[in-house]
Each structure stands twice: as C-alpha cells, then as structure tokens.
Amino acid sequence: MSRRFKRAEVLARLSSQIAAKQSLLVVGAGNGLVARCAEDAGADLIVVYNSGYFRLNGHPSMLGNLPIGNANEIMLELGGRSVIPVTRDVPVIGGVYGVDPTRDMGLLFEDMRRAGFSGVINFPTVGRIDGQYRLDLEATGLGFGREVEMVRRARADDMLTMSYVYKPEDALRMVDAGCDIIVGHCGLTAGGDVGSTNAMALEKAFDVLNGIFDAVRKVAPEVILLSHGGPLSSIADAELANVRTGAVGFVAASSIERIPIEQALKDACRGFKGIKVGEARAHSRV
C-alpha cells in the first residue's frame, strides 16, 4: 500500500524530474490494475476521480460531470479500496467536487488522509460549464469560487494541489489560492469508442494552452504546467503539446485507461475467437 506523501516531498520529486528534462506523467486510474501498471511504468502521480470509475465500466468520461452518483464518495471508495492498496511508492491524488455544499471539506480531507491520498484536484468542475447554466450556478453560490476555496484549504492543510482550468482567469484564481499544478484542459478526449467527436483542432488546443500558461507564468513561474484532453490523445500529441506550449508533462486518463485498453481487448478477443479447431480424437475403451 502506498504511503501518504507530504506536499513538499511530492514537489521535490516532481522538480527533480523537471530538472532532469523528464516529462511528467499523471495517470487517471479507475481501478487497481490501471494504477499498478501505471506505477510500474513510471507514472509520477496517480489521480482517482469519479470519471475513471465510469470509464472503466464502459461509459463516456462525461458521466463524471453529470449528477449521477456521489463524486466524492466514489473517489474515496475507489481510492481507498481499489487504487491505494495496490500501489507502493507513488502519490495518489483525489478528485474532489469542491462545489458540494453538503460536504464539510475539512472532514473530507481527513477521510482522504486516512485513506492515503496525498493531494487534491478539482474534479468534477464547473469550470467546463458556460452559458446561462454557469451564470445560474455562480449566482446561487455554486460556482468556481467554491473549487478555488477547496484548493486554498487543501494547500493550508499541506496537501498537494492540482487544478483543471479551461481559461486564463480561472487559472489565475487557482494560482492565487496557492495551487501547485495547473492543468490546461482542452475538453473531452477524442478517440476510441466513446470519445469526443467534436474536439477542437490541435492548433486551437495549443492556443488555449498557451493562453492559460502565459497568464500563469507572468505571476507564478514556479507553478507546474501540464496539458490534458481534447485532441491530445496520443503520445505524439502530448509531446507536441510540451514542445509548443512549454508544458512539462501530461495528464492521461482516457488516453491511457480507456483508448489503448479498448483496442487491446478487442484484439485479444478476436485472436482467441479465430484460433483453429482440431479434428475430434477417438477415445479408446479399456
């Protein structure tokens, strides 16, 4: 079972990788098998959130943003019973739905620490919502500000803090709250059986990321910048994002625990289905 890491210890690990020019890899794990394989392959962080649970049960990641199930309970259960018990020496981060007004964040953080989580990330997030619905959420006190305060409190509690952001102004609010890692989110990941069919173009994704990252660098150059989502679904895409935006790594969820698994399972099933059948052999009687 992986131990819980202090914030400074996690940041020291990540900083050493960055100094060595090694791209950071954060892997979303929806079960213990993905977590164990990710750690064996050198993942720097493992993230547990409700969308991983839905992904590995055959559903689109978008289910994690809908009012289906209890996001914080799913994270605690999945991390405490499936992911953390099979990891050994990798920090595990919990996806916290900070908007939830029925949950005391201090008590939730205590539960997370007991389970072995080393940090938080704001997921699900209202940051991906726009239009009148977003305005209504903000007007009723259920907006992005609650996620910012969740991150601020986690930082005060010495937990590593990560944030998914979709625009520069939200990134700056998270930086002001003391966020350690900003993840530029480009939307639902394209590819595979249930991925996005209308993801933004790759060049547009780089523009979005550069807008977010440039804003952060101006006020907090020490903050770690990672990319995620949208058209960034392959190894080549993630590498190009590093080169074109100055990101120092990638957050992989569907791009590791869904898309490659879909193809590998199909290939294995087709292979076994296609094996030869031998001639029946007669059995002698004594």
Side-chain angles (χ1 to χ4, degrees):
M1 177 179 288
S2 182
R3 61 188 174 89
R4 188 171 67 84
F5 293 78
K6 294 182 178 180
R7 172 179 171 269
E9 188 176 2
V10 181
L11 289 175
R13 283 185 166 208
L14 300 181
S15 296
S16 69
Q17 290 290 298
I18 295 170
K21 303 297 183 183
Q22 292 292 315
S23 184
L24 300 180
L25 175 61
V26 181
V27 175
N31 64 21
L33 177 61
V34 172
R36 177 169 56 78
C37 291
E39 180 176 15
D40 287 348
D44 297 287
L45 300 173
I46 289 173
V47 179
V48 177
Y49 24 45
N50 68 334
S51 61
Y53 169 81
F54 292 122
R55 262 192 301 274
L56 290 183
N57 279 281
H59 303 292
S61 302
M62 283 298 293
L63 230 58
N65 295 279
L66 297 177
I68 300 170
N70 183 314
N72 290 323
E73 287 296 333
I74 291 172
M75 174 270 294
L76 275 175
E77 176 76 7
L78 183 59
R81 293 180 64 87
S82 297
V83 171
I84 293 172
V86 300
T87 56
R88 302 179 304 277
D89 190 43
V90 60
V92 179
I93 310 301
V96 175
Y97 189 39
V99 174
D100 185 357
T102 70
R103 195 89 192 216
D104 182 289
M105 286 296 127
L107 295 179
L108 177 61
F109 292 164
E110 289 180 14
D111 290 339
M112 291 177 68
R113 284 191 289 269
R114 281 194 295 268
F117 286 95
S118 299
V120 303
I121 186 170
N122 62 324
F123 190 90
T125 173
V126 301
R128 70 170 297 119
I129 301 171
D130 55 19
Q132 187 62 45
Y133 185 33
R134 174 68 178 270
L135 293 175
D136 289 344
L137 288 171
E138 296 288 350
T140 54
L142 300 173
F144 193 72
R146 292 184 73 97
E147 298 178 32
V148 173
E149 291 310 307
M150 179 274 290
V151 166
R152 191 186 307 277
R153 182 161 187 171
R155 170 64 186 269
D157 283 359
D158 198 35
M159 302 176 78
L160 184 81
T161 52
M162 301 177 63
S163 296
Y164 278 133
V165 297
Y166 294 78
K167 51 188 181 180
E169 50 266 43
D170 287 346
L172 293 178
R173 293 175 71 184
M174 283 296 187
V175 169
D176 182 68
C179 187
D180 299 305
I181 303 173
I182 292 292
V183 184
H185 203 308
C186 297
L188 182 65
T189 302
D193 294 344
V194 293
S196 174
T197 58
N198 62 348
M200 66 180 72
L202 201 56
E203 288 298 324
K204 174 63 175 177
F206 296 150
D207 288 342
V208 168
L209 293 173
N210 278 318
I212 293 169
F213 295 166
D214 287 348
V216 173
R217 289 188 186 104
K218 288 178 181 178
V219 298
E222 74 282 1
V223 170
I224 295 171
L225 303 173
L226 308 177
S227 66
H228 173 75
L232 309 175
S233 61
S234 70
I235 296 168
D237 296 334
E239 183 175 66
L240 196 55
N242 280 358
V243 173
R244 294 285 299 275
T245 72
V248 294
F250 184 65
V251 177
S254 291
S255 48
I256 280 183
E257 72 171 353
R258 178 179 63 77
I259 297 172
I261 291 175
E262 287 172 344
Q263 191 58 51
L265 285 174
K266 291 175 185 178
D267 290 344
C269 288
R270 289 171 183 144
F272 280 110
K273 177 62 178 173
I275 63 177
K276 295 179 180 178
V277 177
E279 296 293 333
R281 298 179 63 183
H283 296 280
S284 62
R285 293 189 178 184
V286 178

